[in-house]
Amino acid sequence: MTIHIGARAGDIAETVLMPGDPLRARWAAQTFLEGAKCVNEVRGMLGFTGTWKGNPVTIQGSGMGMPSLSIYANELMSEYGAQTLIRIGSCGGMQPHVQIRDVIIAMTASSLSTPSHGVFRELNFAPCADYDLLEAAVQAARRKDVRHHVGGIYSSDVFYDERPDLNEMMVRHGILGVEMEAAELYNLAARHKRRALAVLTVSDHLQTGEALPAREREQSFGEMVEIALEAAFAGT
Ligand code: HPA
């Protein structure tokens, strides 16, 4: 047990998928894992462990935003020995060629700041995905014929943004989408020498104002979970 995770040692798999929403963690575990059992209920941030094609997998909610994700990712890495952590979540599209329902596989995550800012101080560290996971996710998306994009994303500290100029700057520099967690996951994976990736579904679009209807979110979310699982166990 840790401060925020009630699971016993050994109840958490080396491979952890991390959706922001704990109810999505439950849905994904019930839909994709065999023998899934709930291993964490502390603060309602549900976590489940089961198997996928015989491989142990934990799906643990991260909560919204980098400070919340940082708590769970730190404890998963330091206390439970998680080796491969894949964020699965939604993002806002930021480029005209990125459409609602598309999947974004995040090569890098830019930010104004992350919880690691105090650690890096003057260093402008570049948070990036694990290359093997990234490549395997791209191959999985191709095999499944899922529309996808690979590139940089923006991990923002705010959903309700009062600074449209920041989004414009990201758009001008080719950033594909905005979410609120990946940069710190990549920072922590680098610090702890673990593998990390973020696979995201475009749920809304900042330029067109479109948003994915609730009913359709589930199907797009399912493709993303499968891509993450196939990437985690590619070559095993
Ligand atoms: N902004 C930040 N995070 C998000 C968004 C957004 O528009 N959509 C999904 N996650």
Side-chain angles (χ1 to χ4, degrees):
M1 274 178 46
T2 56
I3 295 174
H4 302 94
I5 302 177
R8 287 172 308 180
D11 274 354
I12 302 282
E14 286 192 356
T15 298
V16 184
L17 268 46
M18 300 188 78
D21 179 354
L23 297 181
R24 283 273 174 83
R26 182 169 69 193
W27 175 82
Q30 288 171 348
T31 308
F32 294 99
L33 302 188
E34 310 232 315
K37 66 168 191 181
C38 185
V39 293
N40 186 47
E41 289 184 313
V42 178
R43 289 178 183 246
M45 197 54 73
L46 302 174
F48 298 83
T49 298
T51 60
W52 180 78
K53 299 191 175 174
N55 301 292
V57 175
T58 295
I59 306 185
Q60 169 64 53
S62 71
M64 289 180 279
M66 291 186 269
S68 179
L69 173 129
S70 156
I71 290 172
Y72 296 100
N74 261 302
E75 292 181 12
L76 288 165
M77 293 183 202
S78 313
E79 307 293 331
Y80 290 99
Q83 300 297 322
T84 297
L85 299 96
I86 304 183
R87 164 161 158 70
I88 47 175
S90 58
C91 72
M94 295 186 99
Q95 298 290 334
H97 68 283
V98 171
Q99 297 170 11
I100 298 282
R101 293 181 203 82
D102 288 359
V103 164
I104 293 178
I105 301 166
M107 192 152 62
T108 63
S110 298
S111 67
L112 293 190
S113 174
T114 69
S116 288
H117 192 74
V119 178
F120 290 126
R121 293 201 268 186
E122 66 271 50
L123 186 64
N124 200 357
F125 185 75
C128 73
D130 176 84
Y131 180 75
D132 290 338
L133 284 178
L134 181 99
E135 189 180 5
V138 173
Q139 284 173 4
R142 285 198 188 125
R143 268 197 308 276
K144 296 177 165 311
D145 208 13
V146 171
R147 262 185 65 94
H148 63 282
H149 310 270
V150 184
I153 61 163
Y154 170 32
S155 295
S156 175
D157 278 336
V158 287
F159 188 91
Y160 298 105
D161 205 338
E162 297 285 342
R163 289 276 309 271
D165 57 314
L166 295 175
N167 284 343
E168 279 160 28
M169 186 68 83
M170 295 293 169
V171 171
R172 269 178 52 205
H173 288 79
I175 291 298
L176 299 170
V178 54
E179 51 84 84
M180 300 180 65
E181 291 83 14
E184 186 63 359
L185 178 63
Y186 289 2
N187 285 336
L188 292 171
R191 194 168 308 143
H192 293 270
K193 300 189 171 52
R194 310 297 159 90
R195 309 195 305 161
L197 179 67
V199 183
L200 307 163
T201 299
V202 179
S203 61
D204 52 85
H205 205 291
L206 270 61
Q207 287 160 337
T208 65
E210 281 175 283
L212 199 56
R215 245 184 318 116
E216 281 184 50
R217 282 181 189 228
E218 209 159 86
Q219 194 199 338
S220 313
F221 196 81
E223 285 169 345
M224 174 176 65
V225 178
E226 286 175 340
I227 289 170
L229 287 166
E230 289 185 26
F233 298 106
T236 60

